[in-house]
Every structure is written in C-alpha cells, then in structure tokens.
C-alpha cells in the first residue's frame, strides 16, 4: 500500500474516532443526539471495517473498544462488577444467518443451535444489584466499565422490585397477556419451599418509556416552551438521569424490562429462557414476547412477526435480539472486546434519519390554505426515499424553529407521512434566518389572512389560480367525477392559459380551446371532451364530493345525497337541519351550510348543472349503507390540543367515519383522545378505565 493511501486511511480513522466519541457524548451524556441512529451505526461500521483491515492504525482509545460515554459529572460513578457489553448488529437476513454460521463454527457443530428471540427495546440500559434479595444499587451502563449511580431515581420506577419476591422458576410457560406482552403473573407461582436469594444478584435490562407517555411528556414540555425529546429512548435516558428538581412523575412513567442476569444465576438454571422465567418469579417484568426458537429460521420468523407489529407495540422497539439459549454454550463461545459472540441484535430498518432542508416551498391548497413544505435532501427512511415533509403551518415552524439549511431529524413510522422531529441546532449554519410564511399569496399575490383563532394562513382570493388548480384536480379525482385523462399537468395548462378561471368553466370547454393547448392534438382533445361529457352524468353524492366542501368526503356526501336528493334542497338546508341528519355532526353541518351560504359557491354549483351535469335520483346510496363507518357506534371525547389536527378537524374526521363526539367522559365513552395539556377529562378516563389514545392512534383507527 502506498504511503499516501495509508495516511488517508489514518486520517479517516482519526476523523471517525473523533466523530463517534463526540456523538457518544451527545447521546449518552446529554441525551440529545446529533445524528440518527442509522447514521451513527454507519460511522461505527466504517470504523470497525477500517480497523479490521488495518489493525495497526487503530487508536489506543478507539471508540470501537468502548461502549457509550464515561459517567457524566454530577453522578457518583459505579464500577460494574462485570463489564456491561454491547451487541453486534445484523442489518439484514444474510448477516443474521452469518451470525448463526459463526456460532456453529465456534461450537464446531453442524446441527441446529437453539436460540431465544427477544425484542430489542429502545431505551436506556440499567444494572440493578441486589444483596441478599434487597435492591442496593442501580447504575447506567456508562462506558460499559463504569456507569452512573442512579439508585435514588430508579427506586421510583414502579416495576423495579425493591426486594425480590420468593419464587422458584417453574418450567411452565408464562401466561401471555391479551396485549401480547408477558406479565409477571408467574411470580404468583411462588413455591412454598424456602427461598434463598443469591448473595449478589446483578440484573440487567432496559428502562423504557411507553410511547403514549412519551407523547404526553413531549406535549407538556412544548407547553412549557421546553425542547421536546427526539424519541422515547432519549426521554427515558433523560428521565433516568435527572439530577436536580427531580420530576417524579417522569420516573413514574418509566418501566424496567429485565433481559439478563450477569451475576448470581442459580446453578439449576441452564438456559436464557429459564433465566427470564426466574426473573419473572423474582418479580421482574422481562423482555416482552420472548420466544425460544429451535433454529435460525425460527429466529428470522420471530423477527419478521415482531417487525409486523412494531408500530403497535407500547414501547419503541428497534430490532430483535437473538441469543444462544444454553448458558453453557454461551460460556463456550465467549466474547470479543465489546460484545458477546453468542448474541446479535438484528436491527429493523431505521424509522429516523438525519437530512438537510434545502428549501421551504409554500403550497396553496383548495381552501386557500398556505402550507409550507420542506424540500429535503433525499434520504432513505422506513423503506422509502423521502424528499418532502409538510411543515403544516407557521406555528409548527415557530415551535420547532425550522429554517432553510437546517439539518433535521426526520421520522416515518409505518404508513405515517414523514415528519420533522427536531432541528439539530449544533449543525445550524451561522447565517440562517427564521422562516416566515409570505405576506402575499405566492400564486396570485393577494395579501394573505390569518384568523386569530386559526393556525392556518389563507389566501382569501377565490379566483386564485392555485385554488382553482387544486379544486379542479380534486373534481377530476376518482372519488369525485373521475374524469379520465385530466391530470395535474393538463389542469395546470388550462388554468395558466385562463381557459378555466372557475371550476364550472371546465364544462364549457370547446374542442378549439383544447386544441390550442400545447401537446394537445385532435385525438386527445376529442378524447378529453368525451371524458368530460361522460363525467357529467354522475351521482348527487359524487357531485357533492367534487365541490370540495371541507369535511365532505365519500361517506358524508353519501349521507347528504341520500337525505336531500336535490341541489336546491341542499342549498336551502340550514345548519340545524343538516345536523339533524343521522350521522352528521355539528362540524360537518356548519361546514356545509357555510359553503352554500356563499353566493359564489351556489352559482358555481348551479352553473355546472346548467352545463349538463346531472344524476338520477335512484343513484343515491341507501341510508344504512352510508352510515356504516369503521367507527359506527363508538363514542369519543376530545381533550387537550392534538399535535397537528385541530379539534374541529378531529371531530369532523371521527364523525365522517361514523363515530360520535360527546363532551364529558362516562363509562359509555369508548375512547378519550388526549392531546397536549389534557385536563380533568384525562383523569376521569383513567379513573373509569376508559381507553386513552393519542392522535397517532386515532389516525390509525380512522385508517382501519
Ligand atoms: S442483551 C451481553 N437483550 O441493546 C448482552 N440487550 O446494543 C447485552 N437491549 O445495551 C445485551 N433489548 O441495552 C439485550 N433483549 C435485549 C435487549 C438489549 C435492548 C439493549 C441493551 C444493550 C443494547 C445493545
């Protein structure tokens, strides 16, 4: 190898080592990461590979030889009796299979090795030391050798036993609770025989913050103007490591899940599964859903099934952990510097990534709402490439102080649209400026308006080409008039060339109008005219959808069409009258009445009819059919401020799916939807045992 390239490699190693050490500090000591986990893993992997290829270039204090960061100032440090190791990662199936092959090579066996599959809970690792059955010390992992003494704090975690329960592991399988998480019920199996606890017992596990509690905590922090946590893990680590003005409620929300015994394993226990069962007998909650797998294929199956339910689990879970089940084989296989060779973490694809905001564009929607959209440097996250993220409105931008040029943490969970979690302030360019929505509409230059009690900024010009374009695209969409061939490009041309200045103009287009458009020949003009003509013969319900009235989608339109039958009857109906229709709540009623109260909307609708838009009466849907929504018969109470939906929007969506909104919580309430600063209704819900859900869960219900 040439000297140059060797220097280059050394430089890269130096750089990576320094970066990783810096990230370790940000992650472990400040609970405020500067890069996504995926990016961190990539840096670490690159360094590991370079060091493996050039061992002589490895720095003496390389971060590959350590785990985490040394204890932070302010905490007493505790030396772990045995190092707290980390796990090697597998990123895909072939790496997981390679792990199995290595295990079998090390054991010199051709037959299958039995494993235990556990979820890799994403929290903060904790060691608990019990002396003769009594909790003595709780310590964070720190750098794996020395951790921080957090005993006082962890005593507040509800499910950490202060004293072990007497109980001997039975070989029975622990009960499976309805949420799929094993409970500690087996501890009730306590045997009558005299229990002697190990003199020293070191239990290791993960401190996690349930996702629902995480969202509540962040909403509270935002309410107080504090920076929210990026994810439940940082929130858990931050809560665990509170030094001053300790908030005991935050500790109360944490949960400990035990996954290993590092010292004091009773000699009759032979496997990891038995260790977990013994932990349950002592009174711990253990790795939820753990499973004995007879070979690597079963482990992969376990991994896949966990991935399927990933977003429904109460805790954040970033992969599965595969451990050799037999303890004697674990000892035979041993460990390398920072990780055991008998276990591997098989990671899920990342749901969070870091990227840069290249620009912020302002889009104008059908209702004139100005929506800021971040144009991102494309990044692969949650299985897709993401290059846009909605910033919703000015309040959202202000709250997160999002600026052009910022490096941001973005996330995409399941089918959820990508969102910006937070700005990484450490990477903000010095010249950056706060972002404000323009004071004039970017499309028609009208001065924009923002009503005092609304988060949205709107262009008030009903003739704004942007509004006409989105309205037209909506009208042509499948749920509305379903006009074949009228896509966004054509809509753009029609509006830009002033052939369509208002929606109804579409039905007055002539062959010549179309022929003059760029790239429109005789054939395509004829085809489009025929499609528009065909679309004129529709149903009342579809026509109502096509008008683009807020909150009127297919379900609501079908109910309205069924009840009113003619456009005149619909136009004449008061808000009260509309609200009296079964399945229509006050928000929708108000929206429909307000729409038709505008002269322009009425004329537009009638002008469409004059141009030949028509429907047969019998086309209206049957009442019963329309009123069946996925939430039919369910009663909801809203409390607090939701992250992105306004109260009206939430109400409208629930109603549109057949649900009912009531104002007070009772035993009959099916769900309480709690947002930021939720008050007494939330307490009442807890008191009555009513399900409490957040916006994410609500959206899932609506999606179902
Ligand atoms: S076993 C010697 N099991 O993942 C084995 N770790 O990257 C050490 N983790 O620091 C860990 N769930 O905090 C194990 N079921 C599980 C786990 C788990 C989460 C964490 C643990 C460790 C990190 C390894």
């Amino acid at each position: 190898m040439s000297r140059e390239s060797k220097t280059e490699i050394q430089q890269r190693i130096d750089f990576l080592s320094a970066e990783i050490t810096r990230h370790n500090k940000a992650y472990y000591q400040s609970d405020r990461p500067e890069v996504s986990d995926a990016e961190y893993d990539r840096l670490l992997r690159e360094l590991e590979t370079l060091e493996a290829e050039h061992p002589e270039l490895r720095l003496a204090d390389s971060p590959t030889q350590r785990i985490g960061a040394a204890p932070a100032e302010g905490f007493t440090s505790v030396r772990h009796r045995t190092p707290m190791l980390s796990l090697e990662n597998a990123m895909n199936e072939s790496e997981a299979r390679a792990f199995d092959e290595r295990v079998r090579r090390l054991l010199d066996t051709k037959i299958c090795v039995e494993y235990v599959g556990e979820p890799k809970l994403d929290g903060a690792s904790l060691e608990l030391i019990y002396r003769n059955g009594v909790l003595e010390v709780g310590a964070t992992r720190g750098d794996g050798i020395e951790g921080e003494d957090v005993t006082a704090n962890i005593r507040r975690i509800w499910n950490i036993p202060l004293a072990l329960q007497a109980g001997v592991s039975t070989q029975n399988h622990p009960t499976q609770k309805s949420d799929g998480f094993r409970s500690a019920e087996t501890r009730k199996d306590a045997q009558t025989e005299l229990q002697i606890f190990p003199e020293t017992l070191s239990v290791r596990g993960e401190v996690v913050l349930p996702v629902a509690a995480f969202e509540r905590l962040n909403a509270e922090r935002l309410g107080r103007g504090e920076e929210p946590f990026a994810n439940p893990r940082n929130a858990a680590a931050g809560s665990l490591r509170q030094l001053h003005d300790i908030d005991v409620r935050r500790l109360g929300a944490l949960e400990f899940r035990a996954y290993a015994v590092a010292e004091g394993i009773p000699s009759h226990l032979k496997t990891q599964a038995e260790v977990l069962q013994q932990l349950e007998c002592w009174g711990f909650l253990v790795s939820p859903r753990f499973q004995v797998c007879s070979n690597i294929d079963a482990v992969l199956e376990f991994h896949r099934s966990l991935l399927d339910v990933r977003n429904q689990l109460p805790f954040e879970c970033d992969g599965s952990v595969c451990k050799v089940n037999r303890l004697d084989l674990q000892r035979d296989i041993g460990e390398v510097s920072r990780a055991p060779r008998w276990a591997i973490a098989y990671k899920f694809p990342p749901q969070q990534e870091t990227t840069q905001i290249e620009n912020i564009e302002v889009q104008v929607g059908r209702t004139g709402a100005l929506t800021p959209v971040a144009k991102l440097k494309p990044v692969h996250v949650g299985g897709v490439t993401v290059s846009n993220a909605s910033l919703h409105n000015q309040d959202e931008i202000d709250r997160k102080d999002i600026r052009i040029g910022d490096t941001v943490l973005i996330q995409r969970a399941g089918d959820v649209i990508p969102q910006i979690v937070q700005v990484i302030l450490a990477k903000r360019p010095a010249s950056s400026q706060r972002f404000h929505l323009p004071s004039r509409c970017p499309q028609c230059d009208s001065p924009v308006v923002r009503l005092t009690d609304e988060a949205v900024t709107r262009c008030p010009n009903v003739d704004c080409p942007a509004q006409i374009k989105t309205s037209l695209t909506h009208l042509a969409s499948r749920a509305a008039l379903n006009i074949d061939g009228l896509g966004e490009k054509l809509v753009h041309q029609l509006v830009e060339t002033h052939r369509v200045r208002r929606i109804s103009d579409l039905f007055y287009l002539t062959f010549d109008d179309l022929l003059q458009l760029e790239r429109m020949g005789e054939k395509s003009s004829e085809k489009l005219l025929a499609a528009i003509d065909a679309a004129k013969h529709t149903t009342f319900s579809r026509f109502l959808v096509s008008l683009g009235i807020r909150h009127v989608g297919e379900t609501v339109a079908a109910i309205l069409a069924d009840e009113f039958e003619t456009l005149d009857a619909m136009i004449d109906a008061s808000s009260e009258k509309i609200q009296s229709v079964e399945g229509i709540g006050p928000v929708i009623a108000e929206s429909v009445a307000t729409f038709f109260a505008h002269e322009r909307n009425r004329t537009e609708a009638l002008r469409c009819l004059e141009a030949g838009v028509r429907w047969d009466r019998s086309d209206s849907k049957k009442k019963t059919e329309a009123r069946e929504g996925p939430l039919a018969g369910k009663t909801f109470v809203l409390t607090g401020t939701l992250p992105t939906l306004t109260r009206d929007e939430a109400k409208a969506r629930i109603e549109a799916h057949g649900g009912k909104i009531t104002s007070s919580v009772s035993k009959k309430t099916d769900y309480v939807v709690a947002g930021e600063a939720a008050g007494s209704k939330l307490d009442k819900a807890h008191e009555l045992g009513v399900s409490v859900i957040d916006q994410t869960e609500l959206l899932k219900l609506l999606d179902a």
Side-chain angles (χ1 to χ4, degrees):
M1 179 195 309
S2 76
R3 196 162 279 180
E4 244 114 318
S5 66
K6 190 141 186 178
T7 328
E8 265 170 32
I9 291 163
Q10 182 73 69
Q11 277 172 354
R12 186 71 191 155
I13 287 180
D14 292 354
F15 168 78
L16 289 168
S17 303
E19 273 295 282
I20 294 167
T21 304
R22 195 168 65 78
H23 291 320
N24 278 346
K25 266 202 160 154
Y27 182 115
Y28 290 106
Q29 288 192 357
S30 326
D31 305 315
R32 191 187 287 177
E34 282 181 27
V35 287
S36 62
D37 292 0
E39 174 66 20
Y40 177 88
D41 284 345
R42 280 193 291 272
L43 294 173
L44 194 61
R45 281 209 149 192
E46 186 186 345
L47 182 59
E48 280 169 351
T49 314
L50 287 179
E51 287 179 352
E53 286 164 5
H54 312 278
E56 72 286 2
L57 298 182
R58 188 175 83 193
L59 301 179
D61 60 350
S62 168
T64 59
Q65 305 307 300
R66 303 167 144 269
I67 303 152
E73 242 174 77
F75 287 102
T76 313
S77 63
V78 184
R79 206 176 165 82
H80 299 299
R81 298 167 60 100
T82 46
M84 277 183 88
L85 300 179
S86 179
L87 291 171
E88 268 181 38
N89 290 334
M91 296 301 183
N92 50 46
E93 191 174 317
S94 68
E95 289 182 4
R97 286 193 187 279
F99 160 77
D100 173 59
E101 274 154 27
R102 187 179 66 180
V103 163
R104 284 187 293 138
R105 201 168 49 244
L106 288 164
L107 292 173
D108 198 18
T109 176
K110 287 208 162 48
I111 54 169
C112 293
V113 174
E114 186 175 79
Y115 296 104
V116 169
E118 296 175 32
K120 184 170 186 302
L121 296 182
D122 203 7
S125 36
L126 183 71
E127 168 167 66
L128 299 172
I129 303 288
Y130 290 82
R131 284 265 187 236
N132 298 312
V134 178
L135 175 67
E136 190 178 79
V137 181
T140 64
R141 185 169 65 170
D143 60 7
I145 306 296
E146 278 187 6
E148 295 145 333
D149 186 335
V150 286
T151 316
N153 284 353
I154 56 108
R155 284 176 174 279
R156 302 262 182 186
I157 299 179
W158 70 275
N159 72 330
I160 289 188
L162 299 180
L164 300 180
Q165 304 218 357
V168 177
S169 158
T170 59
Q171 298 306 306
N172 299 344
H173 270 294
T175 45
Q176 196 82 28
K177 277 215 336 199
S178 57
D179 64 356
F181 275 58
R182 279 163 203 273
S183 72
E185 275 163 24
T186 39
R187 70 185 176 210
K188 296 201 188 88
D189 296 346
Q191 306 276 298
T192 43
E193 61 189 87
L194 187 66
Q195 171 73 40
I196 301 164
F197 298 117
E199 193 180 311
T200 303
L201 176 73
S202 152
V203 176
R204 290 175 181 178
E206 202 78 354
V207 171
V208 285
L209 183 65
V211 178
F214 161 72
E215 280 169 4
R216 245 188 335 266
L217 170 66
N218 263 359
E220 283 170 17
R221 287 174 76 84
L222 283 168
R224 289 193 299 264
E226 293 168 12
E227 200 186 329
F229 286 109
N231 50 47
R233 186 214 25 247
N234 295 123
S239 301
L240 197 61
R241 300 167 71 251
Q242 296 178 80
L243 255 181
H244 309 289
D245 304 327
I246 291 165
D247 180 348
V248 293
R249 284 180 326 140
R250 277 173 60 187
L251 292 166
L254 297 173
E255 206 171 296
F256 176 73
R257 291 288 181 154
Y259 54 62
V261 172
E263 189 181 340
I265 299 181
S267 57
H268 69 283
L269 301 182
K270 304 292 180 214
T271 64
Q272 165 70 2
E274 287 169 21
V275 168
L276 292 175
Q277 282 160 16
Q278 177 62 60
L279 282 165
E280 289 188 315
C281 293
W282 279 326
F284 294 93
L285 291 188
V286 300
S287 288
R289 290 176 181 243
F290 80 82
Q291 200 169 301
V292 176
C293 303
S294 52
N295 55 33
I296 193 68
D297 289 317
V299 172
L300 296 175
E301 187 51 43
F302 169 78
H303 178 87
R304 278 191 291 271
S305 62
L306 201 59
L307 182 56
D308 281 344
V309 295
R310 171 187 203 180
N311 292 315
Q312 284 128 51
L313 297 178
F315 308 120
E316 198 103 308
C317 174
D318 62 338
S320 62
V321 181
C322 166
K323 302 174 180 175
V324 168
N325 195 19
R326 269 173 56 181
L327 301 177
D328 58 333
L329 298 185
Q330 289 185 0
R331 277 185 288 267
D332 289 350
I333 297 171
E335 57 206 42
V336 284
S337 63
R338 62 194 277 275
R341 285 189 296 186
W342 45 264
I344 194 138
Y346 181 3
K347 301 284 283 273
F348 290 151
Q351 301 202 102
Q352 287 194 334
E353 266 295 357
T354 30
T355 187
Q356 213 184 0
I357 300 186
E358 293 179 327
N359 197 9
I360 298 179
E361 279 181 14
V362 179
Q363 295 175 354
V364 186
R366 201 168 73 220
T367 57
L370 266 60
T371 308
V373 177
K375 297 281 152 182
L376 306 167
K377 209 165 166 186
V379 60
H380 211 65
V381 50
V384 299
T385 304
V386 171
S387 46
N388 296 316
S390 170
L391 303 178
H392 306 290
N393 53 48
Q394 185 70 52
D395 284 352
E396 181 80 356
I397 293 180
D398 293 346
R399 204 154 57 84
K400 294 180 179 162
D401 187 13
I402 296 168
R403 307 184 184 188
I404 295 172
D406 270 345
T407 298
V408 287
L409 186 66
I410 62 159
Q411 111 182 338
R412 193 180 164 275
D415 298 331
V416 179
I417 39 173
Q419 67 184 110
I420 291 182
V421 180
Q422 65 178 204
V423 172
I424 292 162
L425 291 174
K427 294 206 172 168
R428 169 166 283 172
S431 60
S432 86
Q433 308 234 313
R434 277 187 171 272
F435 181 85
H436 296 286
L437 282 173
S439 55
R440 290 180 166 274
C441 172
Q443 295 282 328
C444 70
D445 209 37
S446 305
V448 297
V449 285
R450 181 175 171 187
L451 301 179
T452 30
D453 56 346
E454 277 203 14
V456 265
T457 306
R458 283 181 207 283
C459 163
N461 174 16
V462 285
D463 294 319
C464 172
Q467 292 187 41
I468 305 289
K469 279 181 208 165
T470 36
S471 301
L472 210 53
T473 310
H474 172 74
L475 177 135
S477 69
R478 195 163 285 190
L481 297 190
N482 193 14
I483 306 179
D484 238 10
L486 185 57
E488 263 180 53
K489 266 201 187 131
L490 209 51
V491 163
H492 184 81
Q493 274 184 296
L494 287 169
V495 176
E496 288 299 315
T497 56
H498 305 299
R499 283 183 173 71
V500 172
R501 288 171 200 266
R502 46 186 174 155
I503 296 305
S504 55
D505 285 350
L506 180 75
F507 302 110
Y508 293 88
L509 287 172
T510 63
F511 180 69
D512 285 343
D513 284 336
L514 297 180
L515 200 56
Q516 282 163 30
L517 293 176
E518 243 176 76
R519 278 192 290 276
M520 280 294 272
E522 290 192 5
K523 252 214 173 122
S524 39
S525 301
E526 255 168 33
K527 230 173 139 185
L528 183 60
L529 268 193
I532 295 174
D533 213 42
K536 284 182 189 166
H537 193 184
T538 180
T539 65
F540 186 27
S541 167
R542 279 177 174 273
F543 180 65
L544 285 174
V545 173
S546 74
L547 293 177
I549 308 168
R550 277 186 96 188
H551 309 313
V552 180
E554 284 173 274
T555 318
V556 173
I559 299 176
L560 293 173
D562 206 24
E563 187 69 31
F564 294 97
E565 295 189 345
T566 68
L567 183 59
D568 284 339
M570 185 79 258
I571 287 176
D572 289 343
S574 65
S575 171
E576 289 73 34
K577 173 94 202 303
I578 304 173
Q579 203 183 318
S580 70
V581 178
E582 209 190 314
I584 304 289
V587 179
I588 298 173
E590 192 57 41
S591 167
V592 176
T594 315
F595 181 88
F596 288 114
H598 282 106
E599 153 109 53
R600 182 192 162 91
N601 291 338
R602 286 199 304 269
T603 356
E604 265 299 278
L606 291 166
R607 198 165 170 258
C608 293
L609 302 203
E610 281 160 21
V613 173
R614 65 198 179 282
W615 52 87
D616 306 328
R617 283 207 171 189
S618 57
D619 274 348
S620 59
K621 283 197 178 175
K622 284 278 137 292
K623 278 182 195 180
T624 43
E625 203 182 322
R627 256 160 239 153
E628 274 167 16
L631 303 184
K634 300 275 182 230
T635 309
F636 289 75
V637 172
L638 299 171
T639 174
T641 316
L642 299 177
T644 58
L645 289 178
T646 65
R647 192 172 273 245
D648 278 354
E649 282 165 350
K651 255 181 158 176
R653 291 216 198 169
I654 291 168
E655 287 171 358
H657 285 72
K660 222 172 85 184
I661 305 275
T662 58
S663 54
S664 57
V665 184
S666 75
K667 274 194 187 148
K668 287 192 193 145
T669 312
D670 292 292
Y671 297 101
V672 167
V673 187
E676 179 186 332
S680 58
K681 289 179 189 171
L682 183 60
D683 299 336
K684 187 81 190 269
H686 286 313
E687 204 179 289
L688 296 176
V690 172
S691 300
V692 177
I693 59 172
D694 59 8
Q695 179 179 304
T696 317
E697 288 159 303
L698 172 64
L699 293 176
K700 266 189 211 145
L701 283 180
L702 294 172
D703 233 19

